[in-house]
């Protein structure tokens, strides 16, 4: 099945058509800056512009940076607070004219990594962390996802909220050298270790592309790997989610 995968981020909204059987993008990726302020209507219109770009008429899978319960956004850490309580599946459907299936962005990226990337076949407790505007998390135990874990918002022993302390956006905003930022990210990882005792971390999101710049500064007990799909995971995973929901909801 072909699905338009959309990845809504704090700085860009990206999309591509994905073949959900092969898990591959069958078009180039197209990106539009996230509108500021990122209100529900403005974000919906940006998704509509992407739909127009691809001349798309089929289903859409949308990874979105919030806890999503039955199509409703429950949080909005890095977008306009008006999203909280908005039925984004209904809104995006009304603006694009397409069926839309929404899922947390880190869960979407995790789905792609566990279907065909670094998480494939991994057993035990695996924490997938996207390093970007926020810190997104997806927890898998023996291949099963626990959805909507908002662990970027866990407070660290130093009193700081995880993603405010150690996101890629914080590194850029504060112009932190890699060593300094890695120390902060290490604080975050050690806290995750103390709370969940994982078997593996997988690092995704834009920040994971720079693993070679910061891995020498990490000091954790848990093995870790970089996500293998990098920038494409969010788009591919959103499309995979839509295909599985289409099937589930039609039964
Ligand atoms: C949001 C999460 C999201 C993460 C990564 C956090 O601020 O609360 O829902 O997965 O950012 O985008």
């Amino acid at each position: 099945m072909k699905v338009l995968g959309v990845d809504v981020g704090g700085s860009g909204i990206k999309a591509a058509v994905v073949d959900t059987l092969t898990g591959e993008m069958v078009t180039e990726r197209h990106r539009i800056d996230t509108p500021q302020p990122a209100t529900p209507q403005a974000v919906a219109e940006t998704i509509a512009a992407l739909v127009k770009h691809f001349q798309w008429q089929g289903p859409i899978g949308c990874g979105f940076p919030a806890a999503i319960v039955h199509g409703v956004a429950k949080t909005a850490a890095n977008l306009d607070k008006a999203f909280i309580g908005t039925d984004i599946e209904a809104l995006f459907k009304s603006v694009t004219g397409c069926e839309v299936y929404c899922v947390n962005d880190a869960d979407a990226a995790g789905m792609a990594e566990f279907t065909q990337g670094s998480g494939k076949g991994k057993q035990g407790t695996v924490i997938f962390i996207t390093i970007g505007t926020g810190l997104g998390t997806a927890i898998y135990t023996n291949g099963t996802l626990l959805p909507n874990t908002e662990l970027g918002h866990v407070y660290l022993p130093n009193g700081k909220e995880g993603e405010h302390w150690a996101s890629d956006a914080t590194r850029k905003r504060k112009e932190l050298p890699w060593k300094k930022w890695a120390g902060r990210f290490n604080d975050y990882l050690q806290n995750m270790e103390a709370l969940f005792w994982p078997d593996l971390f997988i690092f995704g999101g834009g920040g994971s592309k720079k693993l070679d710049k910061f891995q020498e500064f990490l000091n954790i007990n848990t093995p870790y790997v970089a996500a293998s799909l990098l920038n494409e995971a969010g788009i591919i995973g959103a499309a995979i989610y839509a295909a599985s929901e289409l099937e589930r909801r039609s039964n």
Side-chain angles (χ1 to χ4, degrees), residues 8-10 64-67 75-78 104-107 130 132-137 148-150 152-153 163:
V8 177
F64 194 86
T75 61
N78 294 308
N104 171 263
D105 59 348
D107 288 351
T130 62
T133 307
L135 289 179
T137 55
N148 283 322
T149 53
E150 286 283 319
H153 302 293
E163 75 174 26

Side-chain angles (χ1 to χ4, degrees), residues 110-194:
M111 279 171 210
E113 285 298 332
F114 277 81
T115 311
Q116 64 205 63
S118 303
K120 190 172 178 191
K122 291 284 185 303
Q123 297 298 303
T125 299
V126 183
I127 305 187
F128 172 70
I129 303 173
T130 62
I131 310 165
T133 307
L135 289 179
T137 55
I139 297 192
Y140 277 80
T141 52
N142 299 325
T144 300
L145 170 70
L146 173 66
N148 283 322
T149 53
E150 286 283 319
L151 299 177
H153 302 293
V154 165
Y155 282 80
L156 307 182
N158 64 9
K160 308 285 186 191
E161 186 179 1
E163 75 174 26
H164 287 164
W165 185 240
S167 69
D168 204 38
T170 298
R171 179 185 66 78
K172 289 179 182 156
R173 193 177 61 248
K174 292 189 167 285
E175 297 178 4
L176 298 174
W178 283 107
K179 188 174 180 184
K180 184 124 198 208
W181 175 80
R184 288 177 169 226
F185 188 50
N186 204 67
D187 295 339
Y188 179 76
L189 295 175
Q190 285 181 344
N191 197 45
M192 289 295 110
E193 286 185 316

Side-chain angles (χ1 to χ4, degrees), residues 3-4 10-11 33 36 54 83 107 130-131 134 139 148 170 174-176 182 196 200 203-204 214 229 239:
V3 173
L4 182 68
S11 59
D33 281 349
Q36 301 299 339
F54 289 101
F83 268 110
D107 288 351
T130 62
I131 310 165
I139 297 192
N148 283 322
T170 298
K174 292 189 167 285
E175 297 178 4
L176 298 174
F196 295 99
L200 177 70
F203 302 143
F214 65 81
L229 302 172

